Each structure stands twice: as structure tokens, then as C-alpha cells.
């Protein structure tokens, strides 16, 4: 208590407050932003290495192919997400039905699955799995490209539905009703009134899904390994992040100048394209006008009534079920198979490492993100706040593998290397989870009327007291929500971890290694990978439930 | 065009009836307000008429045609929302021409109608502006123009003025009546503000607990309310519990107030000994040299008159008005009060007591 009191007292001093804010900003810039994009400077300092790659036609083909795959897959996935996410958002926001809560929880579940697990599950469900996997699936002869699309839809879909729902909640339902009393069919009303008001939500959803798909390494890597598209000594199909991960392991990473040049080049390309995209999407989405001048009353009427709207809802639900949920849960089919002995020691140690990394990252995010979030939320329109607001998105849009690689180069140039690998991994995970936490905090704080804190201060509370007794209890559930999101994201991350260090064995990497062993002929390792995945899912699920129960209990107290 | 008939309408949500077994006829061109405390089912009624909701039981007829199952986009009933709901991404002209647009009536009709109705509400000069650039009252005028531009002969107003400032509310009230009367439109205007209902409507429908409590012209309901609830809800009144003490063959009635004093009231059909409640409005209570004794507890300046609040010897609270030119009593003074017997309305005493009867929710 006395520590809190001392902080309360100190917080009365404007100088102390300013230095704490400055520290948080410095942390954000030096620990998060600069290391994330440090690799860009390497293109100058290591120009010779990069130049060698540029003149190597066969490697360039692979690199450009990987970049094309990444961006085109991300684009297709996002467009599909929008198409199926819109009707789903309507169902979630504008309808009341029994089982809505269950649906709500089901929708978030794929977020709790580490993507490496999803990769395994999706291949077994859709495609022809490699020899040694005994669980029967659909066995469709689909290409690696299509499979990656199907995989990426699973973990981007919840983001899209969530962002669209959040905006739809804000849009006055009376607009649609008003349009309909004026003679518009529902289809016309939605097209001319609701959708044009949706732009901000579409932009956010687009960026989130696109970035997530662009970044994903672990699941894609496992899927491509299982499809035989990537092997230890070569590959027929890469995405940007899987190419970096492959370079890192196949060529021994930074030690080989050839790998170094290729990794720098592809990282820079991915980062620059991603940042350009962030700006372009904003501009395009904000400038985009859905044509509303012309209406077709008869067509509008036909598609608004009868079977079509029902068919649309049924299709949306069917998509959720057959493309998102069943392929994710298909991993549980392994429960029907006999399993060999599971190496619980290895699993436990990897789980421990993962939880340590995720826990520390989220705690740091919250502590150092809070002052920045408060500043952004409370100073809308102020130049510094707007710049910070934009910068926060940067680590979100950069592919995590490129980010991890960049970070390793940055700290490596200070002489930090594998001796403090775990710490570097934590720093990497802080970078890409920070935006998730801060975004949530900013959103929540904007909703809180600042006069609550002002009143507390006029009643004699010190600023820090006003924060911890007034603001924090109000936004607690958002802090938790952001925290859970960041935690599960960190738990499932493969790319950044691989790119930073070979020696830190987190759980997705542990599973990837089991799958690799399976591909090498130790077939029992597939079943073990699946069992480890199931254990991991169970842990995540219990964790989410516990936190959810805790937050609800907390709400009742407040 | 615009004659509405409701036949035994009920709207149920789960076990809760928002409105129950309501029958009502509204004439062509009539301005009807639906008045009642919040939660009494007023808005439900106009949502059923405009097709936003389909009633669980009963039928809606327009000009004798059953429209119960006609979807709202084909109902052709204008609707104005309490929260205005102008489309924020369209300018005023596009808002007003929205209905001709979605009915695909062509550019010329859109142009003509939007000009006509923006002109009607005096907003034509700002046709290119966006809703966020207007004040609340101006926005609501445009919303009314938008509803009228559909060409509908029926207009539902869902508490259209309650989100506005007091002064704007007063002005818009009269403008609203002027516009719809000029166009000869049938209007159902939902409000919880009895003063608003009194000043705009041809007829008031007073609702309570999802049912119609009473209907009548503003004057009828004010002068001759049929229930204690109506007497109390519309206008201000003093309610006193008493017992019929004397009655002549002609119906001339006397009642005894609590604690003794006997007063004369209007003619009634009650019998001697019946428990009753009398309602007398403050403007019909006068100070005199003799009569009900009361102690002044409060004197409030109301602009054109003073409101004097007293507690009578019968333990009833009685309020009356004093003209500003007259002598004003002071708090603590004892006064004698008499009632205008013709303006005194007598009701059977409600079984649950007066408090229960006048409760708003």
C-alpha cells in the first residue's frame, strides 16, 4: 500500500508525469518501432550482399514468387472474409436468437488455437496428408496455394467479423428502418444507407486481416511441409514469411552471406509493401463511394424477400461451420487414433517457455502502453497524438518474420546475441502484441468521459489515484480483452520466434519440429504433434474461460 | 386516402403485452396524438401501423383495405423518429429525395419533390448542407420533409420534438400542425408531453398499460375527464378524497371532505354514502372569506400568475392561482378556499387508492 501511496503522491507532480510519459514514448520508439524497421537500413550497409541476390535470377524468382504469393493470398483471403463476414456481422448484431452466446464464443475459438495446430488440422481435413498420418480426411487434391487460402481464412475470419460487428453496433438501426418506411427494400436500404456508413470498419477489418495473413508463418509452414511443398533442401512453394523461416534454418541463417542478402531483401520488400498498403488502403477505403444514385426497386424487392435472404444467412452459417470451425477442430479426430508415448517433459518445458514469453510481453504491453493509449485517446487532433496513433499500427502490419529478423539484426548490432535469446524473443513478442493491447485501450478510453477523472481530482484524488480508482476499473474488461488477444497471439506465434533465435523452443516450434520429424519418417511423431496440439488447445481454452469468469466476477464487484 | 382503422391489435413480446386488444379509428386528415407515460405502448402502436412491426394479433386497415401483412416498404406511411435519423452521408436534398429515388421515379420528380418539401419547411436555402451542420430543430424539419416527400398521406411522428430545446419545441409544434393541415395529411403523433398533445391535436388518445384509457378532443378531456388518471395526467389538478353526503332528486350533490367540511359539487349519479374523489383544477380554486381552511406552504412566481401551494385542514394538498395584480399570501398564512362547483369533476374512488391510480408506470 505504501508503494501505491508514494506513487499517488509522485503523480501529483507534473514533472514526474511528463517524464513517465516520455519514458513510455521512448520505450515505444526505441524498443518497438525502430528495431521493427531496422532491417531497412541494412539495404544500404549490406548493399553488396543484396546486390548479389538481385543479380541471381533463380533466387530472385523464388523471392518475387514468395512475395506475390503472400500478397495475393492475403488479398483473396480478405475479400472472402468481407463477403462472408458482412452477413455474419448482421446476424451477430441485429438478430436475437437462442444460442447466440454459444456462437459468439465459437467464433473466437480459432483465435485460441495456435496457428501451427491449425496448419496440421487443415491439411488433414482438406488435403491428401503425407504418409504416416492415419486420420482420414476429405483427401481433395488441392494445390498448396488454395490450401494456404483456406488456412488463412480460419484465423482472419474472427478479426473481420469482430471489426464489422463493432462498426455495425455503432450504426443507428433506425437509419435502415427510416429508409424502409420511405419505400426502400431491405437490400436497397442496406446498400444505399448502411454500407456507405461502414467504410471505417471495412478499412480496419481489411488491414487487420490482410496484415494477419501476410504475417502468418507457423501454420503456413506446417501446411506446406505436410504438402511436401517445402523440404529441408528446397521448396516449390513459399510465402514471404515461410521463405525467411526456411532461409534461416536451411542456410544456418545469418552466418551465410547468401541467406543474409536474400533475407534482407525479402524483409525489406515485405515491410515496404506492407507500409505502402497501410496508407493506400486507408486512402482508397475513405475515398471509395458505393454507387447509390441508381436503384432497381424490383430487383431490390426480389432479393429482399423470400428465399434469398434466408439462403444468404444459411450460407454464412454454413461457411462458418464447414470452412472455419470443422477444419479447425478436425485435429480432435486424432483422439480416435492409437498414440505412442508422449514426451510430456518436452511439451511441458515448451509450454512453460511460451507462457513465460507471452505473460511477460503482455504485462509490459499494458504497463508501457497505458500512458501512450491515454495520451492518444485524450488528445485527438493533437499532432503528436496522431503521429503516435499511426505509428502504433506499424508493428501490426509488418510481417512478424521480417519484424523478428529485423529485431535480431538490431540487437545483434549491439552485441546481443543467442546468449540472451529468450530476452530478445520476449522483445520481439512485445513488438507485435503491443498494437493489439494499445488499440483496445485507446478504444476503451475514448468511450470514458474524462469528466469522471476530473471530478475525482476536484474531490482531492491524485492523478494516479484517479487512474487506478476510476479509469482503470471502468476499462478493466477492455484491458483484459486486449490482454487475452495479445496473449493468445503470442502463444501461437512462430515466425518472429524462429527469425530471432534457433534456440528458444516455444510450443508452436516444438510442434513444428515434431511434424518435421514425422516427415523424416518417424510417423508416430504426427500423432504426438496432434496430441500436443490438443493439450495446448485445452490449456488455452481453460485459460480463456478462467479469465472470462474472473472478469465477469470483477464486473459484479464494480 | 389516409383513413386508418385498428381492429383488436395486440403486440406481445414473450409474455409481455406492449399493447393489448386495441381498436381505434382515425379519420382522413385528422391530427391525433397518442399520449401516455413512458412504456405504455404508444410507440408500439405507430410501429404496427407503419409496418415496422407486425402485430401478434389483430388487423390494420387503411382506407378499408387490410394492410396487416404488407411490408413496411410498401405501406407508404411516413415515419419521423425521435432521434431524427437523417442519413448522415447524404446532403439535405439527397435525404429528402431518397424516397422518390428508391421508388425510381426519375430525376425530375426527385428534383421537384425535394424542392417542394424543403421549401415547405423553409430549408431550401440549405439543400446542399449535411445533417451534421444543422441544429436539432432544423434536422427534425428536414426529417419531416423527407417523410412527406414519399407522397404518403399518413404520417407517424414518434416523439418528434422531445429531443429538442424547449423554445424550439414550442415553435416547431405549431409549424408541424400548419404543414400537415395544409397538405391534408392524417397524423399520429406520439408524445408523453400533455401540453404538446393539447396544443396540436384534433383528438387525444390517452394510453396506459398497453390499452387506451380515454379518447377525446383536448377540450373534452381537459374539462370532462372520465377517469382520475386522465384528470391528473392532462393538465394540473387537485384531487381530494371524500364521501357523498347529500344528493337531490335533480342530481345536485354535496360531498363531505375528510375531517368534516361539506362542499357542493356538480350534478352526479352517485348515491349518498358513496366513496368518491373530486378533481378541481387550480384555476377553479379561489381564496374567500369562508370555506376550506388551508395553510400556505409555498408561493411560486409563474410569470403571468402566482401559484400558491397549501395544505388544507383535511390534510389534502390544494393548489390555486393568484393573479399578479392581486394580494399575494405569505408562507404560513391561513386562507379560506372555495371551489367552482361547475368545474368540479366527481369520480368513484379507485379501489387501489388515488396514489395507485395516478401512478405513471
Amino acid at each position: 500500500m505504501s508503494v501505491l501511496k508514494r506513487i499517488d503522491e509522485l503523480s501529483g507532480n507534473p514533472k514526474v508525469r511528463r517524464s513517465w510519459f516520455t519514458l513510455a514514448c521512448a520505450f515505444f520508439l526505441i524498443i518497438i518501432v525502430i528495431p521493427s524497421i531496422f532491417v531497412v537500413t541494412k539495404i544500404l550497409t549490406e548493399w553488396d550482399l543484396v546486390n548479389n541476390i538481385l543479380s541471381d535470377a533463380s533466387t530472385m524468382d523464388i523471392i518475387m514468387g514468395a512475395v506475390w504469393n503472400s500478397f495475393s493470398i492475403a488479398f483473396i483471403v480478405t475479400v472472402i472474409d468481407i463477403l462472408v463476414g458482412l452477413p455474419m456481422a448482421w446476424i451477430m448484431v441485429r438478430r436475437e436468437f437462442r444460442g447466440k452466446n454459444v456462437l459468439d464464443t465459437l467464433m473466437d475459438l480459432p483465435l485460441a488455437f495456435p496457428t501451427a495446430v491449425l496448419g496440421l488440422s487443415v491439411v488433414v481435413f482438406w488435403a491428401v496428408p503425407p504418409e504416416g498420418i492415419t486420420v482420414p480426411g476429405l483427401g481433395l487434391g488441392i494445390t498448396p496455394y488454395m490450401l494456404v487460402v483456406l488456412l488463412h481464412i480460419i484465423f482472419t475470419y474472427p478479426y473481420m467479423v469482430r471489426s464489422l460487428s463493432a462498426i455495425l453496433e455503432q450504426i443507428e438501426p433506425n437509419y435502415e428502418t427510416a429508409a424502409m418506411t420511405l419505400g426502400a427494400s431491405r437490400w436497397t436500404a442496406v446498400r444505399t444507407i448502411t454500407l456507405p456508413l461502414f467504410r471505417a470498419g471495412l478499412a480496419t477489418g481489411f488491414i487487420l486481416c490482410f496484415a494477419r495473413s501476410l504475417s502468418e508463418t507457423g501454420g503456413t509452414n506446417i501446411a506446406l511441409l505436410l504438402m511436401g511443398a517445402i523440404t529441408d533442401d528446397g521448396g516449390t512453394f513459399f510465402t514471404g514469411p515461410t521463405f525467411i523461416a526456411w532461409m534461416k534454418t536451411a542456410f544456418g541463417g545469418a552466418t551465410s552471406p547468401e541467406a543474409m542478402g536474400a533475407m534482407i531483401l525479402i524483409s525489406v520488400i515485405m515491410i515496404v509493401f506492407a507500409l505502402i498498403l497501410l496508407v493506400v488502403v486507408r486512402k482508397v477505403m475513405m475515398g471509395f463511394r458505393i454507387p447509390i444514385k441508381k436503384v432497381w426497386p424490383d430487383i431490390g424487392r426480389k432479393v429482399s424477400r423470400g428465399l434469398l435472404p434466408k439462403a444468404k444467412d444459411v450460407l454464412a452459417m454454413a461457411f462458418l461451420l464447414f470452412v472455419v470451425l470443422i477444419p479447425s477442430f478436425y485435429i480432435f479426430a486424432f483422439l480416435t487414433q492409437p498414440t505412442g508415448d508422449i514426451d510430456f517433459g518436452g511439451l511441458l518445458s515448451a509450454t512453460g517457455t511460451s507462457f513465460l514469453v507471452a505473460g511477460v510481453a503482455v504485462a509490459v504491453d499494458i504497463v508501457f502502453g497505458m500512458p501512450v493509449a491515454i495520451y492518444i485517446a485524450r488528445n485527438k487532433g493533437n499532432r503528436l497524438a496522431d503521429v503516435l496513433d499511426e505509428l502504433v499500427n506499424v508493428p501490426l502490419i509488418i510481417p512478424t518474420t521480417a519484424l523478428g529478423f529485423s529485431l535480431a539484426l538490431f540487437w545483434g548490432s549491439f552485441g546481443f546475441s543467442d546468449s540472451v535469446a529468450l530476452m530478445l524473443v520476449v522483445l520481439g513478442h512485445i513488438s507485435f502484441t503491443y498494437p493489439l493491447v494499445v488499440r483496445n485501450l485507446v478504444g476503451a478510453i475514448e468511450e470514458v468521459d474524462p469528466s469522471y477523472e476530473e471530478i475525482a481530482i476536484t474531490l482531492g484524488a491524485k492523478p494516479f489515484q484517479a487512474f487506478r480508482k476510476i479509469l482503470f476499473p471502468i476499462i478493466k474488461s477492455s484491458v483484459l480483452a486486449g490482454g487475452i488477444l495479445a496473449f493468445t497471439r503470442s502463444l501461437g506465434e512462430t515466425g518472429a520466434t524462429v527469425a530471432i533465435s534457433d534456440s528458444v523452443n516455444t510450443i508452436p516450434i516444438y510442434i513444428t519440429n515434431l511434424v518435421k520429424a514425422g516427415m523424416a519418417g518417424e510417423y508416430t511423431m504426427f500423432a504426438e504433434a496432434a496430441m500436443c496440439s490438443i493439450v495446448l488447445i485445452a490449456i488455452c481454452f481453460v485459460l480463456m474461460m478462467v479469465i472470462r469468469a474472473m472478469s465477469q466476477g470483477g464486473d459484479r464487484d464494480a | 386516402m389516409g383513413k386508418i382503422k385498428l381492429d383488436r391489435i395486440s403486440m406481445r413480446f414473450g409474455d409481455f403485452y406492449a399493447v393489448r386488444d386495441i381498436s381505434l379509428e382515425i379519420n382522413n386528415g385528422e391530427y391525433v396524438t397518442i399520449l401516455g407515460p413512458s412504456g405504455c405502448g404508444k410507440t408500439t402502436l405507430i410501429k404496427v401501423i407503419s409496418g415496422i412491426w407486425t402485430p401478434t394479433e389483430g388487423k390494420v386497415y387503411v382506407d378499408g383495405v387490410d394492410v396487416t401483412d404488407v411490408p413496411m416498404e410498401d405501406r407508404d406511411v411516413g415515419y419521423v423518429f425521435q432521434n431524427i435519423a437523417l442519413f448522415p452521408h447524404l446532403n439535405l436534398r439527397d435525404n429528402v429525395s431518397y424516397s422518390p429515388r428508391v421508388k425510381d421515379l426519375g430525376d425530375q420528380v426527385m428534383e421537384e419533390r425535394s424542392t417542394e418539401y424543403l421549401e415547405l419547411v423553409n430549408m431550401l436555402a440549405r439543400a446542399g448542407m449535411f445533417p451534421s451542420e444543422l441544429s436539432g430543430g432544423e434536422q427534425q424539419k428536414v426529417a419531416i420533409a423527407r417523410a412527406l416527400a414519399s407522397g404518403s398521406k399518413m404520417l407517424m411522428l414518434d416523439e418528434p420534438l422531445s429531443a429538442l430545446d424547449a423554445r424550439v419545441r414550442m415553435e416547431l409544434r405549431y409549424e408541424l400542425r400548419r404543414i400537415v393541415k395544409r397538405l391534408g395529411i392524417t397524423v399520429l403523433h406520439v408524445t408523453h408531453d400533455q401540453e404538446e398533445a393539447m396544443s396540436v391535436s384534433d383528438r387525444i388518445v390517452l394510453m396506459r398499460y398497453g390499452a387506451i384509457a380515454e379518447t377525446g378532443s383536448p377540450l373534452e378531456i381537459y374539462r370532462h375527464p372520465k377517469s382520475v388518471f386522465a384528470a391528473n395526467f392532462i393538465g394540473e389538478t387537485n384531487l381530494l378524497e371524500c364521501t357523498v353526503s347529500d344528493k337531490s332528486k335533480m342530481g345536485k350533490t354535496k360531498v363531505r371532505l375528510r375531517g368534516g367540511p361539506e362542499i357542493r359539487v356538480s350534478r352526479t349519479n352517485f348515491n349518498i354514502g358513496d366513496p368518491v374523489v373530486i378533481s378541481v383544477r387550480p384555476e377553479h380554486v379561489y381564496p374567500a372569506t369562508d370555506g376550506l381552511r388551508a395553510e400556505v406552504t409555498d408561493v411560486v412566481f409563474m410569470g403571468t400568475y402566482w401559484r400558491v401551494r397549501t395544505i388544507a385542514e383535511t390534510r389534502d394538498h390544494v393548489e390555486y392561482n393568484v393573479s399578479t395584480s392581486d394580494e399575494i399570501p405569505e408562507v404560513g398564512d391561513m386562507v379560506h378556499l372555495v371551489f367552482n362547483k361547475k368545474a368540479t369533476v366527481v369520480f368513484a374512488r379507485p379501489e387501489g387508492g388515488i396514489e395507485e391510480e395516478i401512478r405513471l408506470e
Side-chain angles (χ1 to χ4, degrees):
Chain A
M1 217 47 206
S2 69
V3 178
L4 281 179
K5 272 207 181 114
R6 192 157 307 155
I7 300 177
D8 286 344
E9 286 306 317
L10 279 174
S11 74
N13 183 341
K15 272 189 195 148
V16 173
R17 286 207 303 275
R18 191 165 315 142
S19 28
W20 170 234
F21 173 65
T22 312
L23 179 68
C25 282
F27 177 86
F28 172 57
L29 281 180
I30 296 169
I31 306 291
I32 296 175
V33 179
I34 294 175
S36 306
I37 52 176
F38 176 73
V39 67
V40 177
T41 66
K42 284 284 177 184
I43 208 142
L44 301 175
T45 53
E46 308 283 349
W47 177 245
D48 291 343
L49 291 180
V50 175
N51 202 23
N52 283 341
I53 300 294
L54 284 173
S55 52
D56 174 356
S58 69
T59 313
M60 274 313 284
D61 277 353
I62 300 178
I63 289 179
M64 292 323 283
V67 170
W68 166 252
N69 287 338
S70 273
F71 279 85
S72 64
I73 286 173
F75 185 77
I76 292 172
V77 163
T78 308
V79 169
I80 294 176
D81 281 337
I82 291 176
L83 290 180
V84 293
L86 276 172
M88 204 60 207
W90 246 271
I91 292 173
M92 296 310 292
V93 175
R94 294 281 161 86
R95 297 275 176 78
E96 287 305 326
F97 52 91
R98 209 178 294 176
K100 188 167 164 178
N101 281 335
V102 178
L103 190 64
D104 204 42
T105 313
L106 274 178
M107 189 118 54
D108 280 341
L109 271 187
L111 293 182
F113 285 30
T115 50
V117 176
L118 290 174
L120 178 58
S121 190
V122 165
V123 170
V124 175
F125 180 75
W126 290 110
V128 183
E131 201 178 332
I133 288 185
T134 46
V135 173
L138 292 180
L140 302 178
I142 52 180
T143 61
Y145 190 93
M146 279 188 55
L147 191 84
V148 174
V149 169
L150 285 168
L151 170 65
H152 284 200
I153 284 173
I154 292 179
F155 49 76
T156 53
Y157 179 87
Y159 286 115
M160 182 59 81
V161 175
R162 289 280 169 243
S163 353
L164 294 181
S165 304
I167 296 295
L168 191 58
E169 299 250 18
Q170 306 282 319
I171 298 178
E172 180 56 58
N174 273 352
Y175 290 147
E176 241 169 85
T177 313
M180 290 175 73
T181 62
L182 292 169
S185 58
R186 184 168 290 280
W187 185 76
T188 307
V190 167
R191 188 173 66 86
T192 56
I193 303 299
T194 317
L195 280 186
L197 296 173
F198 236 89
R199 284 204 302 267
L202 276 176
T204 316
F206 193 99
I207 290 170
L208 272 177
C209 290
F210 201 97
R212 187 74 186 90
S213 167
L214 210 55
S215 255
E216 212 290 319
T217 320
T220 317
N221 205 20
I222 283 202
L224 294 175
L225 280 173
L226 287 170
M227 303 274 291
I230 296 180
T231 59
D232 269 350
D233 33 66
T236 52
F237 185 92
F238 288 107
T239 60
T242 50
F243 181 72
I244 298 176
W246 179 76
M247 273 287 176
K248 176 95 182 176
T249 46
F251 277 80
T255 53
S256 141
E258 195 186 331
M260 191 66 177
M263 283 163 76
I264 290 174
L265 182 62
I266 193 166
S267 296
V268 172
I269 293 176
M270 298 281 288
I271 290 175
V272 171
F273 278 14
L275 290 179
I276 290 175
L277 197 90
L278 178 68
V279 178
V280 170
V281 166
R282 278 274 170 81
K283 280 263 183 303
V284 169
M285 283 287 178
M286 286 307 165
F288 181 65
R289 300 237 181 277
I290 295 172
I292 55 171
K293 291 290 175 208
K294 183 67 190 154
V295 296
W296 300 272
D298 295 333
I299 299 175
R301 236 148 256 220
K302 282 206 187 86
V303 298
S304 301
R305 288 192 207 141
L307 282 178
L308 266 169
K310 285 208 185 76
K312 176 203 69 190
D313 287 355
V314 169
L315 277 178
M317 295 298 259
F319 186 91
L320 171 65
L321 193 63
F322 292 110
V323 181
V324 178
L325 293 179
I326 292 181
S328 326
F329 282 93
Y330 203 67
I331 190 95
F332 284 91
F334 276 93
L335 286 176
T336 63
Q337 302 294 309
T339 50
D341 294 329
I342 293 177
D343 174 10
F344 277 108
L347 175 62
L348 222 65
S349 118
T351 312
T353 310
S354 272
F355 273 56
L356 179 70
V357 170
V360 173
V362 171
V364 172
D365 286 340
I366 292 174
V367 171
F368 285 92
M370 190 65 85
V372 176
I374 293 177
Y375 189 81
I376 292 174
R378 293 282 188 245
N379 293 279
K380 282 273 152 182
N382 166 316
R383 174 88 59 84
L384 176 60
D386 288 348
V387 170
L388 283 174
D389 199 18
E390 286 296 322
L391 278 182
V392 166
N393 289 329
V394 168
L396 194 68
I397 188 93
I398 292 179
T400 48
T401 316
L403 186 149
F405 177 59
S406 174
L407 196 103
L409 287 177
F410 179 79
W411 295 112
S413 66
F414 289 99
F416 295 107
S417 62
D418 260 14
S419 54
V420 285
L422 187 63
M423 200 190 87
L424 293 186
V425 168
V426 171
L427 286 177
H429 282 232
I430 288 173
S431 292
F432 66 80
T433 52
Y434 184 89
L436 298 174
V437 172
V438 172
R439 276 275 143 262
N440 258 287
L441 290 178
V442 171
I445 296 167
E446 274 175 359
E447 296 290 305
V448 182
D449 191 336
S451 58
Y452 291 139
E453 288 150 88
E454 284 159 15
I455 287 169
I457 291 170
T458 64
L459 294 172
K462 296 287 181 192
F464 184 67
Q465 266 177 318
F467 167 75
R468 80 190 154 84
K469 301 247 176 188
I470 308 294
L471 183 62
F472 189 74
I474 298 176
I475 61 169
K476 198 169 63 183
S477 63
S478 297
V479 175
L480 262 172
I484 294 173
L485 197 65
F487 191 90
T488 52
R489 182 78 172 71
S490 163
L491 220 53
E493 175 63 25
T494 315
T497 319
V498 172
I500 292 169
S501 154
D502 307 321
S503 61
V504 176
N505 198 12
T506 61
I507 203 152
I509 292 173
Y510 184 72
I511 292 173
T512 309
N513 287 338
L514 286 176
V515 168
K516 277 185 183 165
M519 292 301 288
E522 297 176 57
Y523 295 153
T524 54
M525 290 301 178
F526 286 130
E528 181 163 349
M531 293 314 291
C532 288
S533 303
I534 292 171
V535 171
L536 183 61
I537 291 169
I539 294 173
C540 286
F541 184 73
V542 168
L543 195 77
M544 273 175 80
M545 286 299 143
V546 167
I547 292 178
R548 197 173 270 207
M550 267 168 49
S551 69
Q552 275 161 5
D555 284 349
R556 235 170 294 152
D557 293 344
Chain B
M1 283 298 282
K3 188 170 154 63
I4 300 166
K5 184 178 159 198
L6 301 181
D7 183 25
R8 312 203 60 177
I9 292 288
S10 293
M11 184 79 202
R12 190 162 48 85
F13 297 97
D15 293 334
F16 171 75
Y17 277 90
V19 301
R20 188 167 212 159
D21 201 18
I22 284 195
S23 295
L24 181 68
E25 282 189 51
I26 295 141
N27 287 322
N28 194 6
E30 195 178 12
Y31 197 124
V32 173
T33 45
I34 301 181
L35 178 65
S38 44
C40 72
K42 315 180 286 273
T43 301
T44 307
L45 209 57
I46 60 169
K47 284 196 168 165
V48 165
I49 295 174
S50 57
I52 296 174
W53 287 342
T54 308
T56 36
E57 286 150 59
K59 299 274 179 209
V60 181
Y61 298 91
V62 171
D63 296 326
V65 179
D66 180 357
V67 296
T68 318
D69 294 318
V70 176
M72 65 174 133
E73 61 264 35
D74 298 332
R75 257 325 148 92
D76 212 13
V77 176
Y79 197 104
V80 174
F81 294 83
Q82 177 177 6
N83 63 356
I84 300 170
L86 283 179
F87 306 133
H89 59 305
L90 301 180
N91 66 27
L92 303 191
R93 184 178 287 284
D94 287 340
N95 261 285
V96 175
S97 60
Y98 186 80
S99 185
R101 181 191 300 285
V102 294
K103 290 174 182 167
D104 206 14
L105 298 179
D107 288 348
Q108 203 193 336
V109 179
M110 278 164 53
E111 175 76 25
E112 283 168 11
R113 289 243 189 116
S114 54
T115 304
E116 179 187 350
Y117 288 99
L118 279 171
E119 175 104 75
L120 191 67
V121 296
N122 289 324
M123 294 297 292
L124 187 57
R126 308 212 214 163
M129 289 175 114
F130 283 87
S132 57
E133 297 171 85
L134 306 183
S135 71
E138 290 165 340
Q139 287 184 30
Q140 197 56 291
K141 286 204 271 187
V142 177
I144 291 163
R146 181 179 69 177
L148 292 171
S150 68
S152 165
K153 291 288 161 211
M154 291 164 286
L155 186 61
M156 305 292 126
L157 304 168
D158 185 3
E159 310 226 7
L161 307 175
S162 54
L164 308 176
D165 290 342
R167 175 57 67 98
V168 180
R169 200 153 64 206
M170 299 274 266
E171 284 169 9
L172 205 49
R173 201 190 269 176
Y174 302 115
E175 187 152 348
L176 198 54
R177 187 174 160 92
R178 172 184 69 80
I179 291 168
V180 296
K181 280 294 167 189
R182 193 203 295 180
L183 299 171
I185 284 174
T186 309
V187 178
L188 261 84
H189 176 148
V190 163
T191 179
H192 61 260
D193 180 346
Q194 50 92 14
E195 204 184 304
E196 190 172 297
M198 296 272 281
S199 55
V200 292
S201 38
D202 298 326
R203 184 154 58 116
I204 294 176
V205 173
L206 182 63
M207 283 187 68
R208 189 179 197 209
Y209 301 138
I212 294 176
E214 204 165 322
T215 65
S217 72
L219 200 65
E220 269 166 22
I221 290 200
Y222 190 80
R223 288 215 180 139
H224 308 289
K226 297 185 199 81
S227 67
V228 176
F229 175 70
N232 182 66
F233 194 79
I234 294 178
E236 292 174 290
T237 197
N238 298 301
L239 295 170
L240 300 98
E241 285 185 18
C242 41
T243 311
V244 175
S245 56
D246 191 18
K247 195 182 138 193
S248 74
K249 280 179 195 156
M250 304 289 290
K252 286 181 183 170
T253 310
K254 283 183 183 171
V255 296
R256 188 170 296 284
L257 298 171
R258 275 188 302 211
E262 187 178 56
I263 56 169
R264 281 187 293 181
V265 294
S266 51
R267 292 173 192 223
T268 70
N269 295 321
F270 290 101
N271 298 317
I272 294 176
D274 283 353
V276 294
V277 174
I278 61 169
S279 158
V280 54
R281 300 205 182 270
E283 61 267 31
H284 298 128
V285 178
Y286 315 107
T289 50
D290 194 16
L292 184 64
R293 284 188 339 124
E295 184 185 345
V296 175
T297 57
D298 235 337
V299 182
V300 186
F301 182 56
M302 305 293 284
T304 52
Y305 62 92
W306 292 80
R307 167 60 52 85
V308 182
R309 302 158 67 116
T310 70
I311 182 145
E313 56 180 323
T314 58
R315 313 306 300 158
D316 290 302
H317 292 273
V318 179
E319 301 189 0
Y320 68 101
N321 299 339
V322 177
S323 151
T324 44
S325 54
D326 290 348
E327 195 187 337
I328 314 302
E330 284 178 23
V331 172
D333 283 358
M334 291 304 288
V335 291
H336 291 276
L337 301 174
V338 293
F339 302 158
N340 176 347
K341 73 171 188 207
K342 281 186 186 153
T344 308
V345 188
V346 186
F347 304 102
R349 200 184 301 167
E351 274 173 30
I354 293 183
E355 287 303 322
E356 179 61 27
E357 177 67 14
I358 64 177
R359 215 159 53 97
L360 292 184
E361 282 169 44

